[in-house]
Structure formats: C-alpha cells, structure tokens
C-alpha cells in the first residue's frame, strides 16, 4: 500500500460527458502528479501541483483541468469526453516538488468512454 | 526534449533465466535515473534508482548501472522468478529542476515456470 488513494477505481461513461477523478496523497506529501497511461502512448505526464499551486504542465488537453485543495487532495476533471480518453489515470505524490525523491503511485482510476 | 527509450516487449523468460531490459535516455544535463515496476492490477512502485554516473542501483536482486558514456541504465537480474512478472518502466528526472518524472513506454515481462 503506497498510501496514495484514488477514487473511483473504475468508471464507465459516455462520450461528451464529464467526470472527476480524486486523489488523496500520502500523509505529509505536498506534491501531486497526474499521469495518463494508455496502451499506445505509455505513461504521459499531465500536470503537477505543489502545496495548492500548479507547478508543471505536460500533455494535458484543454478539456482537462485539475486542482489541489487546501487539504492537499487533488481532483482531475475530464470534460467533453472522447473515446480516446479511455485510459488508466494515475495520481502520484512526493514530499517535495523537486529532487530525486521517490514518487508514490496510487492504484489508478480506469476510465472507459463508450 | 528529454526522453527515455526502452526495449519493446513483451519479454518471456523461463524461471531462473537471466534478464536484461535495455534503457537509454536523451537529456540535456545529468538526470537521476529510475526503474519502476507495475505488478498486475497495481500502481507503479520504485524498484531502484541511481543519481549520478557510475552509480549502481539495486533492489530485490535487480541491478542497473548509470552509464553516462552510453546514456544507458539497463536493468538486469541474474535469476528471474514467476513473481517478477510485471511491467517495468525506466524513467528520468532532474533533481534540481521543476520537471516531472519522464517515463519510457514500459516493458512487459512474463516469467513461466
């Protein structure tokens, strides 16, 4: 158990819909990262937050947004969903936003768009 | 940009065979290098890391050496077990920059008894 909690574990929805994925980092970790894992693209970095502020942005679509709340949990919002958004979405956390510290990953939220 | 290239999988080995999974990187500067492992139905977990050239990371019988001259960080294990069946990801990160962990595409390993 990494200590990172993601909900829901599985989600099935239709094209055009909007979903919210939630992540609770390990106790004491200030930084949260979101990654998308798909068969053809591998693990793609989406966005990072540190102590409530956006720290780095990767290949995140404009239809996607995220935030980190004062209690340090984070939410990833995916809207106007398309078939190609079907993927496993991972949240990871670390104590700081830089350094060679380990990232701790949750078990992921599997999104299926029909 | 910074990137990681891993050998394509899947790799299928018999128990007790020798394992090598190749990983090379492209980066401006000297990143820290990592191997993460993803067991079926689980998230990724750190297997080992190396933070400077010629460092060797090791854990659970796995080893990888940071080779600056060949920009490589190949993963090796002398004798694999069925329980090693998983997807292995090579990754890099710059310790003093505000950049995320950059992953390779992953290599699926299946070990058969």
């Amino acid at each position: 158990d990494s200590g990172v909690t993601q909900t829901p574990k599985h989600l099935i929805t239709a094209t055009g819909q909007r979903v919210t994925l939630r992540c609770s980092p390990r106790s004491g970790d200030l930084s949260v990262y979101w990654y998308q894992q798909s068969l053809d693209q591998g693990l793609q970095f989406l966005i990072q937050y540190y102590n409530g502020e956006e720290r780095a942005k990767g290949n995140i679509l404009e239809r996607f947004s995220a935030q980190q709340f004062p209690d340090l949990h984070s939410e990833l919002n995916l809207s106007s969903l398309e078939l190609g958004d079907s993927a496993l979405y991972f949240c990871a956390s670390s104590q700081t936003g830089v350094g060679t510290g380990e990232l701790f990953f949750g078990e992921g939220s599997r999104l299926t768009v029909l | 940009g910074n990137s990681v290239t891993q050998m394509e999988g899947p790799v299928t080995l018999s128990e007790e065979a020798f394992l090598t999974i190749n990983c090379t990187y492209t980066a401006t500067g000297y990143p820290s290098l990592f191997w993460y492992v993803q067991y079926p139905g689980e998230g990724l977990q750190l297997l080992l890391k190396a933070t400077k050239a010629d460092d060797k990371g090791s854990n659970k019988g796995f080893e990888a050496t940071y080779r600056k001259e060949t920009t490589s960080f190949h993963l090796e294990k002398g004798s694999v077990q069925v329980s090693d069946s998983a997807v292995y990801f090579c990754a890099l990160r710059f310790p003093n920059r505000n950049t995320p962990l950059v992953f390779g595409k992953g290599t699926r390993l299946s070990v058969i008894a």
Side-chain angles (χ1 to χ4, degrees), chain B residues 70-92:
Chain B
T70 54
T71 61
S72 64
F73 193 53
H74 304 322
L75 182 68
E76 296 182 336
K77 186 175 186 183
S79 176
V80 294
Q81 305 301 312
V82 172
S83 57
D84 294 326
S85 298
V87 182
Y88 293 82
F89 293 90
C90 186
L92 67 82

Side-chain angles (χ1 to χ4, degrees), chain A residues 33 35 55 97 99-100 103, chain B residues 32 36 49 93 95 98 101 105:
Chain A
Y33 309 76
Y35 284 84
R55 181 61 70 91
T100 59
L103 263 61
Chain B
S32 295
Y36 276 78
K49 71 178 184 183
R93 188 180 188 195
N98 190 29
L101 202 54
K105 290 202 168 184

Side-chain angles (χ1 to χ4, degrees), chain A residues 33 35 37 39-43 45 48 55-56 88 90 94 96-108, chain B residues 32 34 36 38 41-46 49 51 87 89 93-105 108:
Chain A
Y33 309 76
Y35 284 84
Q37 185 181 33
L39 282 174
D40 55 341
Q41 295 292 321
L43 265 167
F45 168 69
Q48 176 199 353
R55 181 61 70 91
L88 195 50
F90 283 109
S94 67
T96 67
V98 294
T100 59
E102 179 178 354
L103 263 61
F104 294 86
F105 283 79
E107 293 186 357
Chain B
S32 295
F34 305 81
Y36 276 78
Q38 184 180 23
E42 298 183 12
L44 281 74
Q45 54 186 277
L46 180 66
K49 71 178 184 183
T51 58
V87 182
F89 293 90
R93 188 180 188 195
F94 286 91
N96 298 315
R97 302 182 199 175
N98 190 29
T99 54
L101 202 54
V102 176
F103 287 94
K105 290 202 168 184
R108 181 177 298 278

